[in-house]
Amino acid sequence: MQTLTTILKNAIVLTMNQDLDIFDPGAVAIDGCDIVAVGSEERILACYQADEVIDCANKVLMPGLINTHTHIPMTLLRGLADDLRLDVWLMGYMMPVEREFVSPEFVRLGTKLGCAEFIRSGVTTFNDMYYFEDHVAEATAEAGLRAVAGQTVMKFSAPDAESFEDSLALSESLIQKWQDHPLIVPAIAPHAVYTCTPDVLTSVVELANKYDARVHFHVSETKDEVENLRKEHGMPVVPYIRKFGMLTTKLTAAHCVFLDEGEIRSLQHAGVGIAHNPTSNLKLASGFAPVPRMLQLGCNVGIGTDGSASNNDLDMFEEIRLANLVAKASSGDPTVLPASQTLEMATIIGAKALHMDDIIGSLEPGKKADLILVDLSPVHNQPRFMRDPNGIYAQIIYAAKSTDVTDTMVNGTWLMKDRKLLTLNVEELVAEAAKIAAKIDEFLIGREESVFSKLIAIGGAAEEESFEVQAKVKVDSIDPVFEALSKPGITILRKRHYHEYDTYFGFDKPSQGRLRYREDEFLDETGKISSVRSRLTLIGELDTPRDLNDSQIMLSRSRYLAPATHSLRFYNEYFKPSSKLEIEKNRLRYLIQFKDTEFFINLDTIQKPDIGKFVEIKSRTWSRQDADQKTALIHELAAYLGLDQTKINTQDYLQIVENLLEK
Ligand SMILES: [Zn+2]
């Protein structure tokens, strides 16, 4: 009789093989890192003996869970910023904090924390995307878990790379270093279409093809992503990335919330793996991925937790249950995604989604010994019905909890036995995490105090300060100005005509200055829009304007300019201004030369707001009888300005309006 390393006997064995064979009582025979045999206990014990024989009474023995999409070091950012829209969350909080704090040490600690959570909740393989991925790989290998480690590549500078060329170089050395490792599969992880240029995508595909490497990519996560791509390139995400050859790589596409029928078929045809992330999609209100349809068409749809900054836990049991429930609720059909198929998504289909089903995903001879034991004795798992053998899947999907996982084995090595972690010291990791959290808190508190530092934090702000002297004069007719411009001694160097849409954000403390979001529509000779530009300007507190009768002279003010790369909605949610004022004007702008000095002359016609209304409130002598009419006018103006009418009195309104208009 052959003597092996380990035999697990007297278990309810869910093989998750092609026929979904169940053995009860069943046994699994393991030698080294490989599964040698799976079957009825009687048959296995008749053929094999082992150094370690474990009785698994009352336990389900099944393949370890496969988390097809995560950013494991983000365990250190769990609970940092929540209840925000994806772009504000990502560009406003995650990326700035990551730029400041993410280092090899940060990544190692976050990875180990995440590994502890994975091992405890029965995850044996995860598909990762992050920075310093070489360190993620090292920490994971030390913890004993299996991972596809994807080095992030994107157009912005990242914590580990100045440019995308640098991150490609990191990807290549990651691949060379880890390609033959028993636990780590190196990969390239271009972040998303909105963070990657065509150059980035082309280079990623080249590198992936050179090494036959896996690619891990966010695809069609939000409606905005798809709509923006349609606007810019006239097509949705899947045909767009296909142009770069992305579908010919061993690709795993995360999210896939907004795909049309044709795109789903393309992914299926190309054998692209899909990672479904129900918690993240629900929490960020991204939407409902068409999971039943994708499965029906034969796509390999695995399940993933996404990072713990958007989930906020790495609990695959919860994720599996949500995947199941969301599919039923969003399709209005409780028969879709039965329990057995849901568990397939988290095991064998997940393995296919990572292009790794040759070694993991099911308990079959020849595969790696990645498995877990789930205890059915807790009260929430009782009683058990034997009539329908498939009932056991329902037990796991609808009732069992991650805390029911008692033992976890990866590659033939126990990482947890009787709920005791064998490769990691959680107390130490948690104490280290608390120290980093305190530093991040301090950083964000400091940043939130100043509009300027918030502007710098989102990257775009070129710290370009300018000073200017402005003279403002109200004119009843602009004809005299035109006449003056044609006088000798004045040379018109340049003339432009545009339509300006300004939104001014005001803040509680005047010392914060005001932030202006400006969209310029440049108009050609015929008045048609020739181009559009968006800019942000942080305007410092004004020197008291000097009144010269009807005009004002402003001597200087600081201005920080930045291209507005996000939407007005983004800036509104990110800066949370206390007041807003929209001004729309038609502007003729001349650059003139007068005696060796160049000046700009702007001729503005204000089209919005209705200044007449303001003037009426200010200038009219209001009698007692007209009080209601005055209040109504003020409220109209206040509503227009987006001011909270419950918190502010009439005098304040007028003061705010006056300040805004006079500036
Ligand atoms: Zn993600």
Side-chain angles (χ1 to χ4, degrees), residues 616 620-633:
E616 187 179 352
R620 203 167 123 184
T621 316
W622 292 89
S623 66
R624 242 169 226 275
Q625 291 95 305
D626 296 337
D628 285 350
Q629 196 194 338
K630 183 181 178 187
T631 311
L633 264 178

Side-chain angles (χ1 to χ4, degrees), residues 171-192:
S171 306
E172 183 154 18
S173 54
L174 181 86
I175 295 168
Q176 289 169 343
K177 177 172 168 187
W178 294 95
Q179 58 189 349
D180 297 318
H181 194 272
L183 292 174
I184 304 299
V185 178
I188 316 163
H191 179 265

Side-chain angles (χ1 to χ4, degrees), residues 519-536:
E519 264 179 50
D520 286 324
E521 285 176 357
F522 294 97
L523 305 176
D524 65 15
E525 294 296 317
T526 64
K528 280 204 182 113
I529 299 167
S530 58
S531 64
V532 178
R533 172 180 70 178
S534 305
R535 276 194 307 176
L536 271 185

Side-chain angles (χ1 to χ4, degrees), residues 69-71 74 86 89 129 191 216-218 221 254-255 277 280 305-307 310:
H69 176 61
T70 192
H71 312 278
M74 294 183 98
L86 176 66
W89 175 84
M129 172 194 290
H191 179 265
H216 184 183
F217 199 18
H218 290 113
E221 179 173 359
H255 295 287
N277 310 104
S280 174
T305 56
D306 208 347
S310 65

Side-chain angles (χ1 to χ4, degrees), residues 79 84 107 165 170 172 232 321 327 336 358-359 421 453 473 515 533 617 620 622-624 634:
L84 299 168
V107 159
E165 285 91 347
L170 286 173
E172 183 154 18
E232 269 178 56
R321 187 168 310 146
V336 300
D358 55 330
I359 58 164
L421 292 175
S453 58
V473 189
L515 191 65
R533 172 180 70 178
I617 300 172
R620 203 167 123 184
W622 292 89
S623 66
R624 242 169 226 275
I634 288 169

Side-chain angles (χ1 to χ4, degrees), residues 73-117:
M74 294 183 98
T75 44
L76 289 175
L77 304 177
R78 192 199 315 267
L80 176 70
D82 295 280
D83 309 320
L84 299 168
R85 224 176 284 274
L86 176 66
D87 56 359
V88 178
W89 175 84
L90 182 67
M91 311 285 183
Y93 288 86
M94 291 304 136
M95 287 186 170
V97 168
E98 287 175 332
R99 269 194 288 271
E100 190 75 18
F101 288 94
V102 171
S103 64
E105 298 72 37
F106 177 102
V107 159
R108 292 181 67 87
L109 176 61
T111 300
K112 290 213 163 175
L113 266 180
C115 284
E117 200 177 345

